[in-house]
Amino acid sequence: MEGVKNLVKDYLIFCGFEIGMLILSTFYLKKYNLLLKENFRGKKIPCCMGIVLSLSWVIYLLQIFFRTSNAKWLVVAISMWCISFIGLLDDIFGDNKSKGFKGHVIRFIKNGEFSTGLLKMVSVPAVIFISSMILHKEVAQSVFHAILGSLCVNLFNLFDLRPGRCIKVLWIFVVVLSFFVHLDSTAVVLLTLTIPFFVGDLREFYMLGDAGSNAIGYLFFLILTNSYSKAYNSFLIWTVFVVVFGLNVLSEHLSFSKVIEKNTLLNFIDMLGRKN
């Protein structure tokens, strides 16, 4: 019972911190017309507020590290921040000249332009590989983690095209995963910290941005691998790998938004809570 009380206390503290940061940051950015981009409706709103969600997660992970002295949580916190910050750079400096893996690579080969998208393609797997090597010192497992983690991050980027969609997908995926993996208290707190952010995202007060969708994709990877703890030859992990890889490949050839709009059930879930 004491453990549950402490968990609730931690959640309320970090939830309050997140809500306060969201309100202050949104007000400041709108007042001074900073980092505003048009959403799918053409409405100008702050474009990279996912960094606030990521910051809440990172601070929570750091306090676990300071409380337990378990180096794993320090590695996870630093890698989470790095991956989110890479997304922030894309939010601030990125453009729409190229999309998808193929687009960024072709742009570099033809024009010699190193886009922020290509930077993300290189640096995200590097961060995950280094994190896995620090924790396990196994090259093969670290390479697999880097590939799987990068695919998860990119997949959630692809879903961040409508208000609330990315977080809805995370919740749905985690509900399915929960039948096969144990969700520890850390995962539960991190997941529930998406709720206050989700409300503002749905109401179009701000955008998640790559800073947020990167972090969400990485959180999904951490839950899947139990923060780098599971063996990489797990049947579940390989199954998810095939699904995530397949969805990434499909994204190069079709629009997820159009698929969702044409499917009655998917469109109902996607529109749930959103402005009409």
Side-chain angles (χ1 to χ4, degrees):
M1 184 61 72
E2 189 65 29
V4 174
K5 286 182 179 178
N6 289 334
L7 198 64
V8 172
K9 180 183 175 183
D10 284 348
Y11 172 72
L12 292 175
I13 291 171
F14 282 92
C15 186
F17 168 79
E18 182 184 325
I19 292 171
M21 286 293 293
L22 285 172
I23 293 172
L24 290 173
S25 301
T26 303
F27 174 78
Y28 180 83
L29 294 176
K30 284 185 175 181
K31 182 177 180 180
Y32 293 101
N33 200 32
L34 298 171
L35 300 177
L36 303 182
K37 287 186 180 180
E38 291 186 357
N39 66 0
F40 76 108
R41 293 182 197 275
K43 178 182 177 182
K44 281 195 170 186
I45 54 178
C47 68
C48 50
M49 293 298 288
I51 198 71
V52 173
L53 176 62
S54 174
L55 181 62
S56 302
W57 286 349
V58 169
I59 296 174
Y60 180 73
L61 292 168
L62 286 175
Q63 68 93 21
I64 295 177
F65 164 68
F66 289 123
R67 191 176 70 234
T68 64
S69 298
N70 186 339
K72 177 180 82 170
W73 298 115
L74 178 61
V75 172
V76 171
I78 293 173
S79 57
M80 173 71 78
W81 184 249
C82 289
I83 288 172
S84 182
F85 185 74
I86 291 164
L88 180 64
L89 293 177
D90 201 17
D91 288 329
I92 297 172
F93 302 108
D95 54 48
N96 294 318
K97 291 181 181 178
S98 52
K99 293 184 178 180
F101 292 112
K102 188 189 297 183
H104 292 298
V105 172
I106 290 175
R107 179 177 172 182
F108 177 71
I109 294 172
K110 283 188 174 182
N111 305 323
E113 296 181 18
F114 198 89
S115 65
T116 53
L118 188 59
L119 172 66
K120 185 164 59 178
M121 287 169 57
V122 173
S123 53
V124 169
V127 169
I128 298 173
F129 176 80
I130 292 169
S131 300
S132 186
M133 282 296 293
I134 291 171
L135 294 172
H136 296 293
K137 298 178 175 62
E138 294 181 16
V139 176
Q141 183 169 342
S142 297
V143 169
F144 182 77
H145 278 157
I147 296 170
L148 175 59
S150 301
L151 289 171
C152 289
V153 167
N154 189 63
L155 181 62
F156 280 87
N157 276 184
L158 298 171
F159 283 121
D160 185 35
L161 293 175
R162 294 293 185 272
R165 180 185 292 174
C166 188
I167 294 177
K168 285 178 183 176
V169 171
L170 173 67
W171 289 347
I172 292 169
F173 281 14
V174 170
V175 167
V176 175
L177 271 187
S178 66
F179 290 100
F180 307 99
V181 300
H182 170 68
L183 295 179
D184 60 22
S185 59
T186 301
V188 171
V189 171
L190 296 180
L191 285 167
T192 51
L193 281 173
T194 62
I195 296 172
F197 189 95
F198 178 69
V199 175
D201 190 18
L202 267 185
R203 305 314 296 166
E204 300 178 30
F205 296 145
Y206 45 72
M207 294 185 207
L208 188 64
D210 281 9
S213 59
N214 273 17
I216 286 175
Y218 187 52
L219 176 62
F220 175 71
F221 165 77
L222 292 173
I223 292 171
L224 175 64
T225 61
N226 193 18
S227 300
Y228 295 96
S229 297
K230 278 188 175 290
Y232 71 90
N233 60 353
S234 160
F235 176 75
L236 173 64
I237 290 181
W238 277 106
T239 302
V240 175
F241 174 82
V242 171
V243 173
V244 171
F245 178 80
L247 289 172
N248 272 274
V249 171
L250 281 174
S251 72
E252 297 285 323
H253 305 285
L254 53 81
S255 165
F256 286 167
S257 290
K258 289 181 180 179
V259 171
I260 291 170
E261 287 167 7
K262 291 177 181 178
N263 184 284
T264 305
L265 177 60
L266 294 180
N267 189 56
F268 171 76
I269 295 171
D270 192 45
M271 292 300 297
L272 206 59
R274 276 173 48 187
K275 293 180 179 179
N276 292 322

